[in-house]
Amino acid sequence: MPESIEIDGLDEQAVHFIAREGEMVVGTARLRAIAGQTKGKAERVAVLSRFRGRGIGGRLMDVLEAEARELGLERVILHAQISALEFYLARGYIEEGPRFDEAGIVHQEMWLQIPSPCV
Ligand SMILES: CC(C)(COP(=O)(O)OP(=O)(O)OC[C@H]1O[C@@H](n2cnc3c(N)ncnc32)[C@H](O)[C@@H]1OP(=O)(O)O)[C@@H](O)C(=O)NCCC(=O)NCCS
């Protein structure tokens, strides 16, 4: 993704997650609650290529989904790059609507229902 798209001015509205190996950041994600709605959007989910396949992306999503639950959100939505579709399907995300182009990459909107926090 080009930096001009990544830096979108919405970082301050989001909760950010990083995975570290020592002092080095090797994975990122952010959760942005959508104003006036009970859903949040997972964005900037990425793990450095040489650290992939070790469970780091899954752990980032575990923590992001737990935060969504803490915030009382009912759904996490995201725009999955097609190459990552299986990663999200395996976590229970459901495809919604047609595929679309974003920054020249085919994407699919997906969502996951978040269980209510225990009372
Ligand atoms: C998608 C991404 C974040 C996954 O991170 P990761 O650390 O490699 O994921 P994990 O090691 O936690 O994988 C969890 C499971 O998903 C599977 N998986 C991970 N990436 C996958 C992919 N692209 N396609 C299919 N399956 C994938 C793993 O095999 C693993 O399955 P298992 O539990 O049966 O072993 C990482 O590949 C990445 O940064 N990709 C490039 C950026 C990107 O596409 N981000 C998503 C934008 S929407």
Side-chain angles (χ1 to χ4, degrees), residues 30-63:
R30 78 177 188 189
L31 174 67
R32 188 167 55 85
I34 304 205
Q37 297 187 34
T38 53
K39 58 190 179 189
K41 189 157 178 262
E43 298 172 317
R44 311 302 186 262
V45 180
V47 173
L48 280 180
S49 53
R50 70 179 188 280
F51 288 89
R52 290 178 194 159
R54 298 191 196 175
I56 297 172
R59 183 78 186 108
L60 280 164
M61 292 305 296
D62 288 345
V63 177

Side-chain angles (χ1 to χ4, degrees), residues 1 79-82 98-102 105-109:
M1 279 287 177
H79 292 173
Q81 294 183 16
I82 287 306
R99 295 184 179 178
F100 57 94
D101 180 282
E102 210 170 78
I105 301 170
V106 180
H107 282 76
Q108 173 68 54
E109 181 163 339

Side-chain angles (χ1 to χ4, degrees), residues 2-117:
E3 203 170 294
S4 58
I5 290 182
E6 291 291 5
I7 311 292
D8 61 0
L10 300 176
D11 274 346
E12 292 196 1
Q13 299 175 25
V15 182
H16 296 260
F17 308 90
I18 56 170
R20 290 193 321 195
E21 171 90 10
E23 290 302 304
M24 184 168 55
V25 174
V26 299
T28 65
R30 78 177 188 189
L31 174 67
R32 188 167 55 85
I34 304 205
Q37 297 187 34
T38 53
K39 58 190 179 189
K41 189 157 178 262
E43 298 172 317
R44 311 302 186 262
V45 180
V47 173
L48 280 180
S49 53
R50 70 179 188 280
F51 288 89
R52 290 178 194 159
R54 298 191 196 175
I56 297 172
R59 183 78 186 108
L60 280 164
M61 292 305 296
D62 288 345
V63 177
L64 182 150
E65 290 156 11
E67 177 70 14
R69 190 165 184 253
E70 284 292 312
L71 292 172
L73 298 173
E74 293 172 5
R75 266 186 192 198
V76 170
I77 64 163
L78 53 84
H79 292 173
Q81 294 183 16
I82 287 306
S83 57
L85 194 71
E86 294 291 335
F87 170 68
Y88 295 115
L89 284 171
R91 300 189 61 82
Y93 282 78
I94 294 168
E95 297 176 56
E96 170 112 9
R99 295 184 179 178
F100 57 94
D101 180 282
E102 210 170 78
I105 301 170
V106 180
H107 282 76
Q108 173 68 54
E109 181 163 339
M110 304 182 86
W111 59 272
L112 180 75
Q113 194 72 28
I114 300 296
S116 321

